[in-house]
Amino acid sequence: MKHTLCLLALALGSATAAAQTAAPPAPAAAASAPAPKPPRDEFFWLGEINKASAVINTDQGLLDKTLAPKIAAGVAQVIEAGNQPGGKRPSSVITFEPLMIKAAGQDVTLLHAGRSSQDMHATYRAAILRENMLALAEQLNRSAATMVELAARHADTVVPNYTNGVAAQPNSYGHYLLGHAAGLARDAQRIREAYARIDRSPMGTTVLNGSSWPLDRKRMADYLGFAALVDNAYDASQISSMDEPVEVASIVTAISLHAGNFVQDIMPQYSQTRPWILLEEGGGNTYVSSAMPQKRNPGLLNSLRSDASTAVTLAMGPILQMHNITPGMPDPKEVDQNSAMVESAIKVLKKWDRVMKALVINRERALEELNSDWTASQELADVLMRKYQLPFRVGHHFASEIVTLARAKNIKPLDFPYAEARRIYHEAVQGSKYPQELPMNEAEFRATLDPVAIIQHRATAGGPQPAEMTRMLKEARQRLADDDAWIKARREHIQRSLARLDQDFDKLLAAGR
């Protein structure tokens, strides 16, 4: 293994040297490109907390104003060093503080008045988790937008829908997609609701019951971009900070289950010789079997299903870790694993987006499948009840007998003899108080079995008929716009808060110069 790594390093070194020899000098503009911003990791937030403590405690008189500039300079030095390539970026209070002591002496620990690693860690966990949630919300919004626009393009595409894995009724594919989009809209709502509970500052609560120091918790929350406080000091680091990843896990699970449902509804088509919905071939969507040249395996669907299963697995982590432990234990709070859990859901949504963009829907084949089976048969019972007051169960029995005969003799709906329908109806109602002759004429009988007409004539609010599709598409687009505005507003609020902290901290630094 070591030998292989050495060979790889030599190869890379040789390639780099060759590239440097052959390549012209880089343009001057490239040298002045801005350095990437440091990540908003644990180190970043510990730095922000220390900056805010220096400013607030100085203004409140809790920190000697003659010492404050030197202490602030020490904090700034640690942050600056950590932002350098290869710089130390410790993720805990007990590893961050020695760097501050080295930079500014023991006086820097005066910042620790009325605070603990418990509330500081709870604060950065909440800050990181809320940003993860905004990233999740953003990708969810993108994927949902793809779904809604796909629904708009297929508002009048009539396809079979399935229950229990069996073709059940005709439907508009656009209507079907809006049903899935409604599920994603609830996931977006769950994100917003969870975000409001995460977007609360635990800072200033120390470990269990607060402190004798009169800390300005509200101002601290404002500087760090939090909308509110975790009110109860015990709740802050003992209960709430364990609840948060568990709640996020439920959202990750919901998204992944929705994606899995979508995949499983398409997969059976690949077992058909003449499917009506498939992935576009190539482009990483499908791959050819290594042995059987006719096979085009749905690699993208398989990959999405696997990613969804992985996300559900990761989401079980905080739940199992929180089970049967005392309050406040760190088991379910780990930043890396909770960030990975959210990232797994983002990955699912990205791949789901790819699937939707790769779908090829054959309208003619879908309609042919509908007309080759009896998915419109319920409409016979519905029309007989609605127009002719025949009880539904009687009409259902009539329709069921038609299907039984048709399947026995391999008769398709559009070819079923009207005379046979009249005979079956008469036998179904014989001796009853209901009309003994089928009240539908032949034209109405055949129109009732037309899948396209069924969709056009639906009257249910929320149904696939054109007027309702127009309404639901408009409302879905508005929800997406509202969600996008919400995400941007939350990010802007955090950014403005941190910018305000930077301004006030810079003033404190300037006082010592």
Side-chain angles (χ1 to χ4, degrees):
M1 178 66 180
K2 192 177 294 183
H3 177 67
T4 304
L5 290 174
C6 290
L7 289 174
L8 179 59
L10 286 170
L12 289 173
S14 300
T16 302
Q20 288 172 343
T21 303
S32 61
K37 290 185 178 180
R40 287 188 180 175
D41 53 10
E42 299 96 320
F43 176 83
F44 171 85
W45 287 106
L46 287 173
E48 298 301 291
I49 291 168
N50 280 301
K51 285 159 60 177
S53 293
V55 172
I56 297 169
N57 291 357
T58 301
D59 288 350
Q60 278 193 272
L62 304 180
L63 181 62
D64 189 331
K65 290 189 177 181
T66 62
L67 296 174
K70 179 186 175 184
I71 290 172
V75 172
Q77 181 180 325
V78 172
I79 293 172
E80 178 63 25
N83 289 342
Q84 299 307 308
K88 292 182 179 178
R89 297 181 69 83
S91 60
S92 69
V93 172
I94 60 172
T95 52
F96 193 103
E97 191 171 86
L99 299 180
M100 293 200 301
I101 293 172
K102 184 177 179 180
Q106 291 287 345
D107 285 344
V108 80
T109 62
L110 292 169
L111 284 180
H112 211 54
R115 69 184 198 185
S116 161
S117 61
Q118 290 263 353
D119 60 341
M120 294 173 74
H121 290 186
T123 300
Y124 74 52
R125 286 166 180 150
I128 292 170
L129 193 56
R130 73 179 175 183
E131 292 201 336
N132 289 339
M133 292 297 278
L134 291 177
L136 179 60
E138 185 173 50
Q139 184 56 54
L140 176 62
N141 208 44
R142 287 198 194 104
S143 300
T146 296
M147 183 176 287
V148 168
E149 293 315 308
L150 187 62
R153 291 199 298 275
H154 289 283
D156 60 352
T157 301
V158 182
V159 302
N161 275 180
Y162 305 87
T163 63
N164 294 304
V166 180
Q169 284 186 331
N171 197 9
S172 150
Y173 193 66
H175 184 259
Y176 165 88
L177 288 171
L178 286 183
H180 279 284
L184 290 181
R186 287 191 295 277
D187 292 334
Q189 183 182 41
R190 292 181 184 106
I191 290 174
R192 294 193 301 273
E193 291 170 351
Y195 185 92
R197 286 183 279 276
I198 295 167
D199 191 25
R200 300 176 303 141
S201 172
M203 268 309 296
T205 59
T206 65
V207 183
L208 300 171
N209 61 1
S211 167
S212 59
W213 291 86
L215 302 177
D216 190 341
R217 292 189 62 208
K218 180 65 171 65
R219 190 175 175 192
M220 173 65 78
D222 289 343
Y223 271 145
L224 300 179
F226 287 100
L229 302 175
V230 181
D231 186 42
N232 184 284
Y234 183 86
D235 177 37
S237 60
Q238 303 300 302
I239 307 298
S240 179
S241 60
M242 296 202 302
D243 282 354
E244 289 161 4
V246 171
E247 184 169 11
V248 172
S250 71
I251 297 170
V252 168
T253 300
I255 291 170
S256 302
L257 293 177
H258 284 147
N261 289 161
F262 188 88
V263 169
Q264 291 305 105
D265 221 14
I266 299 173
M267 287 299 289
Q269 292 287 320
Y270 275 86
S271 66
Q272 305 299 315
T273 55
R274 298 183 63 236
W276 59 265
I277 182 169
L278 291 172
L279 296 174
E280 183 179 11
E281 288 191 15
N285 302 329
T286 63
Y287 64 93
V288 181
S289 165
S290 63
M292 294 155 282
Q294 85 284 2
K295 285 190 70 184
R296 301 296 184 269
N297 295 319
L300 185 57
L301 288 175
N302 291 336
S303 181
L304 173 53
R305 184 187 62 240
S306 178
D307 287 347
S309 297
T310 297
V312 171
T313 303
L314 292 175
M316 288 301 295
I319 298 168
L320 294 174
Q321 289 173 309
M322 187 175 169
H323 177 61
N324 280 349
I325 60 173
T326 57
M329 295 299 288
D331 304 40
K333 301 176 184 177
E334 179 62 42
V335 167
D336 287 347
Q337 67 188 24
N338 289 330
S339 295
M341 172 182 65
V342 177
E343 182 57 39
S344 72
I346 293 173
K347 184 178 181 182
V348 166
L349 288 165
K350 285 181 178 178
K351 199 159 288 184
W352 193 355
D353 195 79
R354 278 188 60 195
V355 166
M356 288 184 287
K357 289 174 179 174
L359 289 177
V360 177
I361 296 140
N362 187 326
R363 298 180 185 222
E364 292 74 22
R365 173 69 192 104
L367 189 57
E368 180 188 343
E369 182 166 321
L370 283 166
N371 285 325
S372 67
D373 200 2
W374 287 82
T375 51
S377 61
Q378 182 185 328
E379 193 71 2
L380 287 173
D382 283 347
V383 170
L384 286 170
M385 181 168 62
R386 187 175 69 251
K387 288 185 66 175
Y388 303 107
Q389 291 74 54
L390 190 72
F392 178 79
R393 195 53 58 199
V394 176
H396 182 280
H397 176 67
F398 159 65
S400 180
E401 289 297 312
I402 285 180
V403 172
T404 298
L405 177 64
R407 285 181 172 163
K409 296 191 174 184
N410 196 26
I411 304 174
K412 295 180 179 180
L414 299 183
D415 300 327
F416 194 85
Y418 177 65
E420 282 295 296
R422 291 180 62 197
R423 178 187 64 78
I424 292 171
Y425 174 86
H426 179 73
E427 291 178 359
V429 299
Q430 191 172 15
S432 71
K433 64 178 181 179
Y434 307 114
Q436 299 297 294
E437 290 293 325
L438 178 62
M440 295 176 169
N441 61 31
E442 183 170 2
E444 185 178 17
F445 174 75
R446 303 214 176 279
T448 302
L449 293 174
D450 179 5
V452 176
I454 288 173
I455 301 306
Q456 294 287 330
H457 298 145
R458 281 290 188 250
T460 304
Q465 63 270 34
E468 281 298 279
M469 285 296 294
T470 299
R471 177 187 66 79
M472 288 188 289
L473 284 166
K474 180 180 178 181
E475 291 178 3
R477 287 169 172 146
Q478 185 60 55
R479 278 195 301 270
L480 292 169
D482 291 344
D483 285 347
D484 183 60
W486 177 85
I487 295 165
K488 288 176 179 174
R490 300 289 80 71
R491 284 189 167 143
E492 288 170 2
H493 173 73
I494 295 169
Q495 203 58 39
R496 284 195 304 269
S497 299
L498 295 177
R500 190 166 59 251
L501 171 57
D502 283 342
Q503 289 176 353
D504 293 348
F505 184 72
D506 287 345
K507 291 176 186 175
L508 188 59
L509 282 174
R513 292 172 186 152

